[in-house]
Structure formats: C-alpha cells, structure tokens
Amino acid sequence: MRGGYGSALGFGGGVGVTTFTGAWPLLALVLLAAVVVIVSLRTTIIGAGLAALQCWGLYATFLVGVRGDLTVDEHTTWVLALLVQLAVLAFLANTAVRVIALVTGTAAGPSPVRS
C-alpha cells in the first residue's frame, strides 16, 4: 500500500481510537500503538512514519492536552519515540519477510488461474 494510503489509514484508525478511548489514555496508547504496527506492516516507510506521527499528535493533543492543545513534554516525547520505533520495526519486519520469501523462492507470484 502506498504511503499516502497508509498515512490515511493510520489517521483514520487513530481518530477512531481517540474518539472511543478518550477517558482512558493508557488504553488509547496501547490501541494507537496497535494501529501504528498494523499500518506499518502494510505500507511504505513514509506511510509508517506519518501514521506514527499522526497517532502521536492525536494522543498528545486530545488525550493528554487538557484544552485540545498539542502538549509536548517528557511524557509525550517518550510516546513519540515509542510509536516511531514501532513503525520502523514493523516496516523492517515486513521487509525482511518479503526478502526471505524472494530468496527462498516462496514468494507468491501471479496466480496461474485467470478469471
């Protein structure tokens, strides 16, 4: 999936998580991390990075910020570092799986059956 689609999917998932877990910031953080990992497994590194940044922005603005202001402090910068690291690790894991599949010849090619 291209970076723009990954970014949009990450933002949509982040908005959904933020909307439904507004009273529970810890649960929101866990679910936002899950959104970042899932999106990062399927998109480009740009899409993964943007999904992490957008989810962090939602967390730091609506779950930590008391007035809807972007809150940048020690806690939210730690969350940013966590989400970016998860995005990069998920992207690299997916890339490694694809490379291994290509090297071993188990990569799924085009279907021999035509519709």
Side-chain angles (χ1 to χ4, degrees):
M1 160 179 7
R2 290 187 165 173
Y5 294 121
S7 172
L9 187 60
F11 184 71
V15 168
V17 166
T18 303
T19 301
F20 293 111
T21 61
W24 302 288
L26 184 59
L27 175 63
L29 179 58
V30 170
L31 293 177
L32 286 170
V35 166
V36 168
V37 168
I38 291 167
V39 169
S40 299
L41 284 170
R42 302 296 304 159
T43 190
T44 64
I45 191 68
I46 303 275
L50 288 173
L53 186 61
Q54 291 165 344
C55 285
W56 169 78
L58 290 165
Y59 179 82
T61 301
F62 298 110
L63 297 168
V64 176
V66 292
R67 298 178 313 192
D69 295 336
L70 181 63
T71 303
V72 180
D73 60 10
E74 184 177 315
H75 173 71
T76 59
T77 53
W78 176 84
V79 170
L80 176 61
L82 173 71
L83 293 177
V84 169
Q85 288 175 17
L86 287 173
V88 170
L89 288 174
F91 172 78
L92 291 176
N94 185 39
T95 303
V97 167
R98 289 180 184 202
V99 167
I100 291 169
L102 281 174
V103 168
T104 61
T106 59
S111 173
V113 178
R114 298 190 187 244
S115 346

